[in-house]
Amino acid sequence: MAQKYLNFTVSESEGEQSLPILDGTLGPSAVDVQPLYNKHGLFTFDPGFRATASTKSAITFIDGDAGILLHRGYPIEELAEHSHFTEVAYLLMFGELPDAAELAKFEASLNMHNLLHEQVLSFYRGFRRDAHPMAVMVGVVGALSAFYHDVMDIQNPADRVHAAIRLIAKMPMIAAASYTYSIGRPQRYPLGKLDYSSNFLQMMFGRPTDEYQVDPVLGRAFDVILMLHADHEQNASTSTVRMAASSGANPFACIAAGIASLWGPAHGGANEAVLKMLTEIGSVENIPRAIARAKDKNDSYRLMGFGHRVYRNFDPRSRVIQAQAKKVLAHIGKDDPLLEVAVRLEEIALKDDYFVERKLYPNVDFYSGILLRAMGFPTNMFTAVFALGRTAGWVSHWLELQQESHGIDRPRQLYVGKTLRHYPTAPVRRTASK
Ligand code: SDX
């Protein structure tokens, strides 16, 4: 197909210029603006990267208008129904679904590396008991870079895969320990006979003195949660990981940076914020007031779990999570009044012009808190669960970035500060103090 160009004029004297347009396999094409600065001394200006493709990637595709999410071409709905988290992690990392032997080998590697060095467990004691689990995870994952630095050559592809597997393998114990430490319960260890999700649940909820049986319905629901949170293109935390990785930083330090970025309430911290919002609303009667506040420009209040930088339609993940939440609540024979508030809030908001005009729909975080609460998770562990699933995506992007060579990510700026001025060296005439 003939090369397409974006034609433009910078000045009469220079006449018409053109920039090449790059086509991907799906989604919008991209204007290659690199010549803009090299040839014309111009930057692009795109705060928040609303229209900027920061990289090429083959891992995840999102069509925000159609509400489509593909991982290596497979729809998230099909993966959530037919696959399981470790298979999706393999798919994200290596690009293809594993055959039985490849999956068995991959899961055996995860089991081989799922323990934390005993000294790492002592790090937890440095935190206050009431430290937020995300603060603990940032600290502990960052500290792991001290354990796996000299033994890893990130120029060696095998070492890179090894580091990626270590990160996915150890995250369950790291996350579970951030909770058990806060309640003073001794940490259980992963059991070789259990699958990834069941292992996390028994480390999270099991006591070291008792057997812990994972309810298969809850185990499957949790595995679906991990799949739905595994990756999402160039979101803020993944871009943070890629930015850190572009300098050649230690992968554990890069993932710690991703955890820090995910914690924000505009990003992964929204699931915790949604539960707090639903709890504050409390009942269906209070929904109109919450909606009014969310629409009030003079009020910083937002409907947490609503809206998305990319989706201008339903987030396909939120439908799957809502169904799992209803299934788990029915299975445990519990009603959660907050589910009724959430469903009613969605119904009312989606009929309100403010939300309809701005294409604000429930996102992945809107129902995840209801499901996690039904499973017994404390609210402050919701984002830690998000980080557990997203580690698969973060390490996959880290691996992908190592294969391209655009060098360090170093954005420029539109400078609006003071122009050149000089330090006053002439003796300052001191006016007599009044
Ligand atoms: C995740 O990027 C990813 O892929 C993220 C994620 C992933 O898997 O990695 O999908 C996970 O982070 C999901 C998003 C979780 N965050 C929340 O639920 C927090 C609540 N949502 C918003 O803060 C907001 O919608 C964002 C941050 C998600 C998106 O913000 P944008 O794209 O910058 O949108 P915007 O702020 O420009 O809003 C456009 C308009 C504004 O109104 P106007 O100025 O046009 O009048 O919509 C309004 C906003 O005020 N708006 C909201 C709103 N979100 C946007 N109004 C009320 N409630 C909201 N939630």
Side-chain angles (χ1 to χ4, degrees), residues 287-331:
I287 289 175
R289 170 149 169 64
I291 297 259
R293 284 193 63 195
K295 292 161 59 175
D296 179 356
K297 285 299 158 211
N298 300 316
D299 191 335
S300 60
Y301 184 85
R302 287 199 157 184
L303 281 195
M304 300 313 280
F306 254 76
H308 198 278
R309 174 61 60 79
V310 176
Y311 288 121
R312 297 306 182 215
N313 197 323
F314 278 96
D315 179 335
R317 301 168 294 177
S318 68
R319 283 283 160 270
V320 178
I321 289 189
Q322 186 196 54
Q324 284 292 331
K326 288 178 177 173
K327 187 175 173 185
V328 164
L329 284 167
H331 176 70

Side-chain angles (χ1 to χ4, degrees), residues 186-203:
Q187 182 54 47
R188 283 172 67 107
Y189 290 94
L191 302 172
K193 63 185 179 184
L194 294 181
D195 64 60
Y196 191 90
S197 289
S198 300
N199 245 328
F200 172 71
L201 292 176
Q202 67 89 7
M203 288 192 283

Side-chain angles (χ1 to χ4, degrees), residues 132-400:
H132 193 289
M134 288 299 279
V136 175
M137 286 183 75
V138 169
V140 171
V141 174
L144 279 176
S145 56
F147 281 76
Y148 303 106
H149 191 69
D150 302 336
V151 296
M152 177 192 56
D153 169 11
I154 60 172
Q155 302 310 323
N156 176 339
D159 277 15
R160 293 202 293 259
V161 169
H162 199 175
I165 285 174
R166 274 190 165 129
L167 274 154
I168 295 176
K170 296 180 189 304
M171 211 54 87
M173 192 168 178
I174 292 169
S178 68
Y179 168 67
T180 53
Y181 170 69
S182 73
I183 58 172
R185 183 197 298 158
Q187 182 54 47
R188 283 172 67 107
Y189 290 94
L191 302 172
K193 63 185 179 184
L194 294 181
D195 64 60
Y196 191 90
S197 289
S198 300
N199 245 328
F200 172 71
L201 292 176
Q202 67 89 7
M203 288 192 283
M204 172 80 194
F205 296 115
R207 290 157 40 92
T209 49
D210 311 320
E211 270 297 306
Y212 183 84
Q213 286 302 322
V214 176
D215 178 323
V217 172
L218 300 192
R220 176 61 189 166
F222 189 77
D223 205 64
V224 171
I225 285 178
L226 292 185
M227 283 192 275
L228 295 175
H229 288 81
D231 190 54
H232 211 240
E233 200 215 58
Q234 304 304 322
N235 60 85
S237 55
T238 299
S239 299
T240 300
V241 170
R242 290 186 82 120
M243 176 80 79
S246 74
S247 73
N250 177 294
F252 290 85
C254 294
I255 299 305
I259 295 172
S261 171
L262 183 73
W263 190 6
H267 190 12
N271 53 18
E272 182 176 344
V274 167
L275 236 291
K276 286 189 179 126
M277 173 189 75
L278 293 174
T279 305
E280 278 164 18
I281 293 173
S283 70
V284 173
E285 294 69 41
N286 298 331
I287 289 175
R289 170 149 169 64
I291 297 259
R293 284 193 63 195
K295 292 161 59 175
D296 179 356
K297 285 299 158 211
N298 300 316
D299 191 335
S300 60
Y301 184 85
R302 287 199 157 184
L303 281 195
M304 300 313 280
F306 254 76
H308 198 278
R309 174 61 60 79
V310 176
Y311 288 121
R312 297 306 182 215
N313 197 323
F314 278 96
D315 179 335
R317 301 168 294 177
S318 68
R319 283 283 160 270
V320 178
I321 289 189
Q322 186 196 54
Q324 284 292 331
K326 288 178 177 173
K327 187 175 173 185
V328 164
L329 284 167
H331 176 70
I332 60 178
K334 232 170 83 177
D335 272 334
D336 184 346
L338 296 186
L339 176 62
E340 186 197 356
V341 174
V343 170
R344 196 77 193 96
L345 179 61
E346 177 188 339
E347 283 168 2
I348 296 171
L350 295 186
K351 291 186 185 119
D352 185 302
D353 287 347
Y354 174 93
F355 296 90
V356 173
E357 283 159 12
R358 292 166 178 81
K359 299 184 177 179
L360 303 175
Y361 291 88
N363 58 49
V364 66
D365 294 308
F366 190 63
Y367 287 105
S368 57
I370 301 274
L371 175 51
L372 290 170
R373 189 166 99 130
M375 297 180 74
F377 284 92
T379 308
N380 69 1
M381 274 298 289
F382 291 179
T383 312
V385 167
F386 195 145
L388 180 55
R390 188 51 56 90
T391 297
W394 288 332
V395 300
S396 301
H397 282 271
W398 178 74
L399 290 172
E400 183 180 63

